[in-house]
Amino acid sequence: MKANFTTELITIIENDAWMLNILEAVRNLHLPDCWIGAGFIRNKIWDYKHNSKRTSLNDVDVIYFDESDISKARELALEEQLKTINSSVNWSVKNQARMHIRNNHLPYKDCYEAISYWPETATAIAVQLNTNNQIDFIAPHGLDDVFNLIVRPTPNFDLTTYRNRVINKRWENIWEKLVIEE
């Protein structure tokens, strides 16, 4: 992973007050192994690389790993808690300790492993604001693809589902510089 992409990612987020507010709200939940990922990061970087304004998000994907309570009810309660902090955001909270069941995988050991199974390498990135107010990130497949505007499946994801997702998302209509691979 290139150090300049790490620095660039952190700088992009640090210069976005909206993202920092979202990250702070999630950090204040004090959830174990907790991150915000997917389009929250991917779209921001693609917008940045295209000199575009913020592309709207369907949701903000909050993930955490807590084997002590894998109930859907806990996730919904956390979404409600976040809505009281910021009702303008469509929050999606998922405990990665239970997502292997939905995905028909062996249990994940943490969020890093869980996101390694996300559809695209450019999507399999998550960030958090740590207790020192610094940006940390996890990216099992690195940052090269997202910064180089390459869309490709992760090694662990089903290709048919990936292809359908790429067609349905129509990303190339929003970010014309993307290179979509199989």
Side-chain angles (χ1 to χ4, degrees), residues 73-100:
R74 174 71 173 135
E75 295 170 355
L76 294 173
L78 290 165
E79 287 175 6
E80 289 302 315
Q81 188 176 348
L82 287 167
K83 283 179 192 172
T84 64
I85 297 167
N86 187 335
S87 62
S88 69
V89 173
N90 182 22
W91 299 97
S92 173
V93 179
K94 299 285 186 274
N95 184 354
Q96 300 303 293
R98 78 170 188 84
M99 295 310 291
H100 70 283

Side-chain angles (χ1 to χ4, degrees), residues 42-50 52-53 55-56 149 169-179:
R42 180 199 61 228
N43 290 14
K44 177 63 179 181
I45 294 170
W46 289 352
D47 287 342
Y48 173 81
K49 299 292 283 185
H50 283 83
S52 300
K53 293 181 182 177
T55 302
S56 63
L149 304 172
K169 292 285 187 179
R170 303 181 61 153
W171 288 321
E172 69 280 4
N173 294 337
I174 302 167
W175 300 284
E176 69 277 354
K177 297 176 189 174
L178 291 181
V179 175

Side-chain angles (χ1 to χ4, degrees), residues 9-10 13 19 22-41 59-66 78 82 91-97 109-116 118 123-131 134-140 143:
L9 172 68
I10 292 168
I13 295 168
M19 291 182 87
I22 298 293
L23 286 163
E24 183 177 7
V26 170
R27 178 194 60 197
N28 291 342
L29 294 175
H30 303 289
L31 294 169
D33 195 10
C34 185
W35 306 85
I36 302 176
F40 182 77
I41 302 303
D59 57 20
V60 171
D61 293 295
V62 177
I63 62 169
Y64 68 103
F65 195 89
D66 183 2
L78 290 165
L82 287 167
W91 299 97
S92 173
V93 179
K94 299 285 186 274
N95 184 354
Q96 300 303 293
K109 65 180 181 195
D110 55 22
C111 282
Y112 184 92
E113 182 180 24
I115 73 169
S116 75
W118 287 5
T123 301
I125 300 168
V127 296
Q128 66 176 212
L129 187 63
N130 68 27
T131 55
Q134 296 173 324
I135 305 295
D136 291 331
F137 73 94
I138 52 176
L143 297 175

